[in-house]
Amino acid sequence: MENIAHNLQQIRNEIRSICDRTGRNPSDIRLIAVSKTKPAVLVKEAFDAGQVDIGESYVQELVEKHDSELLSGLPLRWHFIGHLQTNKVKDIVGRVSLIHSIDKLKTAEELSKRASWKNVTADYLIEINTSGETTKFGLPPAELLSSAPDFITLPNIRLRGLMTIASPDRNKARQEFQVLAELLDKLRNISPDPALLTELSMGMSQDFDIAIEEGATMIRIGTAIFGSRQR
Ligand SMILES: *Cc1c(COP(=O)(O)O)cnc(C)c1O
C-alpha cells in the first residue's frame, strides 16, 4: 500500500533541497502528479494532501476521472501528457488546464478550431523528441524553429513552452534536457510574445532531479507518488 501523502511530502522535500543546491526557487517548479491507470480515489487522496496539478495520459481515463462524482467539484488542474490523436482533441478542450503533448501542426489546428468553437483559449506545449528514439512521439528538434510560426499564429491557443520525455540513461537525459532548454531560448528569440514561453515540462520519477538542475518548470511524477503501474 502506497502512502501518497508521505510520498508527496518526500518529493516536495527533494525539490526543495535540489533548489537549495542549485539556487532555484521551489515555487518556480510545479509538481504534476501523474495518476494514469490509478483510480479517482487515489487522486482524491493526493488532493487531500495538497496536490492540485494532476497529469493523465489517456483521454478516456482523463474524462472519466475529471467528470467523476468524487473529483468533479474539486479545484484540480488537469494536465494532458499522453499522445493526443486529432479526433480526441474535442474531449479534452475545456477539461484541461494544459496540454503538454502537441507534436503536429494538424493537432494544434484542431485544438485551435475546437477552442474557438467553445470560445476559450487553450494553453499547450509542443512535445519534442529530444532522444531521437523512434518509439517516442514528439517533433524532431530540428523542425521546431521552422514550424513554430505556423503554430504561434493559430487563434484561441497559446504556446507556453516545450515538453520532452528523456532517455532512461541519466547522462543522456541530462543532454536531452539541455537541448530542450536551449530550444526554448531560441523559440523565445523568434516569438512575437516571448513572455508567454515560460514552461519546460521535463523530468519524471527517475530523472526529475536532473531536470530541475537543467531548468524544468514542471515535473511529471507518477510512480514515486502512486506506486508502480500494471500497464
Ligand atoms: C507516465 C508518464 C509520466 C510519469 O512517469 P513515472 O516514471 O511514473 O514518474 C510522466 N510523463 C509522461 C509523459 C508519462 O507518460
Side-chain angles (χ1 to χ4, degrees):
M1 191 58 206
E2 291 295 324
N3 185 335
I4 290 170
H6 170 84
N7 293 348
L8 279 167
Q9 197 50 54
Q10 196 99 333
I11 290 164
R12 290 182 194 130
N13 289 344
E14 236 174 297
I15 293 171
R16 203 167 318 118
S17 79
I18 298 162
C19 284
D20 282 348
R21 163 156 74 66
T22 55
R24 296 196 60 193
N25 186 341
S27 65
D28 292 340
I29 294 147
R30 197 185 297 201
L31 170 60
I32 298 169
V34 177
S35 53
K36 63 180 178 212
T37 81
K38 303 293 181 180
V41 64
L42 297 188
V43 177
K44 177 66 164 55
E45 204 175 314
F47 175 76
D48 289 340
Q51 181 63 33
V52 171
D53 289 283
I54 304 295
E56 288 285 343
S57 295
Y58 308 101
V59 169
Q60 186 57 32
E61 201 185 332
L62 181 141
V63 170
E64 277 169 22
K65 283 180 215 170
H66 176 280
D67 295 359
S68 69
E69 208 169 317
L70 187 63
L71 302 178
S72 61
L74 303 179
L76 293 166
R77 280 191 295 263
W78 294 89
H79 296 254
F80 189 77
I81 63 173
H83 182 61
L84 185 57
Q85 291 169 279
T86 305
N87 64 350
K88 298 280 177 65
V89 168
K90 62 178 186 306
D91 297 325
I92 63 171
V93 174
R95 286 189 170 93
V96 299
S97 77
L98 182 65
I99 300 171
H100 292 231
S101 43
I102 298 285
D103 66 352
K104 281 187 198 68
L105 186 61
K106 194 170 75 122
T107 322
E109 286 168 346
E110 172 69 8
L111 182 61
S112 172
K113 188 176 85 180
R114 296 286 173 175
S116 306
W117 288 0
K118 288 204 168 159
N119 208 12
V120 296
T121 300
D123 282 347
Y124 73 103
L125 311 178
I126 294 178
E127 179 174 354
I128 304 290
N129 185 356
T130 51
S131 69
E133 288 173 29
T134 52
T135 53
K136 289 212 170 92
F137 293 106
L139 199 69
E143 287 177 24
L144 176 69
L145 296 178
S146 57
S147 52
D150 296 333
F151 283 90
I152 289 173
T153 48
L154 291 169
N156 287 73
I157 64 174
R158 296 193 301 188
L159 179 59
R160 304 303 312 276
L162 302 174
M163 179 272 230
T164 200
I165 302 173
S167 302
D169 179 282
R170 287 174 60 89
N171 292 322
K172 283 189 190 151
R174 183 180 299 281
Q175 289 171 7
E176 290 157 9
F177 294 150
Q178 289 169 350
V179 165
L180 199 72
E182 284 163 16
L183 271 180
L184 185 65
D185 275 343
K186 290 179 183 159
L187 191 57
R188 282 198 193 106
N189 286 336
I190 62 163
S191 165
D193 198 353
L196 271 183
L197 293 166
T198 51
E199 306 303 329
L200 280 174
S201 171
M202 57 191 199
M204 309 178 18
S205 294
Q206 296 308 320
D207 55 18
F208 73 86
D209 54 327
I210 307 173
I212 292 172
E213 289 170 3
E214 299 301 336
T217 63
M218 296 181 163
I219 57 174
R220 312 176 307 266
I221 312 273
T223 312
I225 296 171
F226 295 107
S228 57
R229 291 177 296 268
Q230 300 305 311
R231 64 181 163 95

